């Protein structure tokens, strides 16, 4: 959540990304909050009210007495439950560094009304799906129009992101000829 995020939008997206279905791979595991975002306390209290256990860094706990201290292992954990890491970052660059180090290359989101920050984020994050002002919960084959989701790939070859049946099939060309040749040998 960037400093220039709309507080109502940020809260709705964060709650949806974590609480709507926490056991899936597109649920939020870490929430990075810009140090100048003014509505951190109501946001974190709303997450706790939804049953979320928070693991917070020293900067969060210096401002709000909330959460258990986060560890390096927490940042590397995919919880699949109502547990969430929360870290304060100085700027988009620090957020990008964190995502580069700990991200799964699956789904990442920025909530901001600052177009330049959004474009930097979208162009820089290496993930199968990147979002600006939308929940990561949309990373799903059905939501992307593929029918039922068969899987998701964080690889770059050949399919990346939600996969439907076409992404799991290959093409075989069968060519029948009768002495056909290409071009001339001249």
């Amino acid at each position: 959540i960037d400093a220039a995020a709309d507080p109502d939008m940020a809260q709705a997206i964060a709650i949806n990304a974590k609480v709507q279905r926490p056991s899936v791979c597109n649920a939020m595991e870490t929430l990075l909050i810009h140090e100048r975002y003014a509505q951190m306390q109501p946001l974190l209290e709303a997450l706790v009210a939804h049953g979320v256990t928070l693991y917070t860094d020293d900067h969060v706990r210096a401002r709000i007495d909330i959460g258990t201290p986060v560890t390096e292992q927490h940042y590397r954990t995919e919880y699949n439950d109502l547990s969430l890491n929360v870290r304060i970052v100085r700027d988009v660059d620090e957020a990008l560094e964190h995502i580069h180090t700990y991200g799964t290359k699956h789904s990442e989101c920025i909530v901001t009304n600052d177009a330049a920050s959004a474009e930097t984020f979208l162009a820089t994050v290496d993930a199968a799906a990147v979002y600006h002002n939308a929940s990561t919960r949309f990373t799903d084959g059905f939501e992307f129009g593929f029918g039922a989701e068969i899987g998701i790939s964080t690889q770059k070859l050949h399919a990346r992101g939600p996969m439907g049946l076409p992404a799991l099939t290959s093409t075989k060309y069968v060519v029948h000829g009768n002495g056909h040749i290409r071009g001339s040998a001249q």
Side-chain angles (χ1 to χ4, degrees):
I1 297 175
D2 188 44
D6 173 270
D8 292 333
M9 181 190 302
Q11 183 166 317
I13 289 171
I15 289 171
N16 179 261
K18 185 62 203 173
V19 175
Q20 194 260 343
R21 194 167 169 209
S23 63
V24 294
C25 57
N26 59 9
M28 177 174 56
E29 303 295 357
T30 298
L31 174 60
L32 304 174
I33 302 174
H34 193 288
E35 66 184 3
R36 291 192 324 262
Y37 179 69
Q39 298 299 313
M40 182 174 59
Q41 184 166 349
L43 169 64
L44 298 183
E45 289 173 351
L47 285 161
V48 169
H50 279 86
V52 178
T53 299
L54 301 178
Y55 298 100
T56 55
D57 74 358
D58 294 339
H59 301 289
V60 172
R61 288 190 320 285
R63 295 179 186 195
I64 307 168
D65 185 20
I66 197 166
T68 301
V70 69
T71 67
E72 175 91 9
Q73 187 58 42
H74 286 117
Y75 290 133
R76 298 189 184 284
T77 300
E78 186 171 359
Y79 293 111
N80 298 316
D81 65 17
L82 288 173
S83 299
L84 179 67
N85 308 316
V86 183
R87 177 181 175 193
I88 291 179
V89 293
R90 288 183 311 273
D91 52 28
V92 172
D93 290 334
E94 188 175 352
L96 292 169
E97 182 182 314
H98 179 95
I99 293 166
H100 176 75
T101 303
Y102 300 106
T104 62
K105 300 187 185 305
H106 189 290
S107 305
E108 303 293 347
C109 165
I110 185 170
V111 182
T112 187
N113 287 329
D114 181 319
S117 292
E119 286 307 314
T120 297
F121 182 89
L122 297 173
T124 306
V125 169
D126 181 16
V130 290
Y131 295 89
H132 172 213
N133 292 343
S135 173
T136 57
R137 290 287 295 117
F138 284 107
T139 309
D140 176 90
F142 180 78
E143 294 293 328
F144 277 43
F146 302 146
E149 180 168 290
I150 294 175
I152 186 154
S153 174
T154 56
Q155 302 299 310
K156 291 186 179 180
L157 291 175
H158 77 314
R160 189 175 199 199
M163 297 183 304
L165 187 58
L168 296 179
T169 60
S170 63
T171 303
K172 179 179 182 179
Y173 296 93
V174 178
V175 179
H176 295 278
N178 188 18
H180 292 81
I181 60 172
R182 179 177 172 183
S184 70
Q186 296 176 346

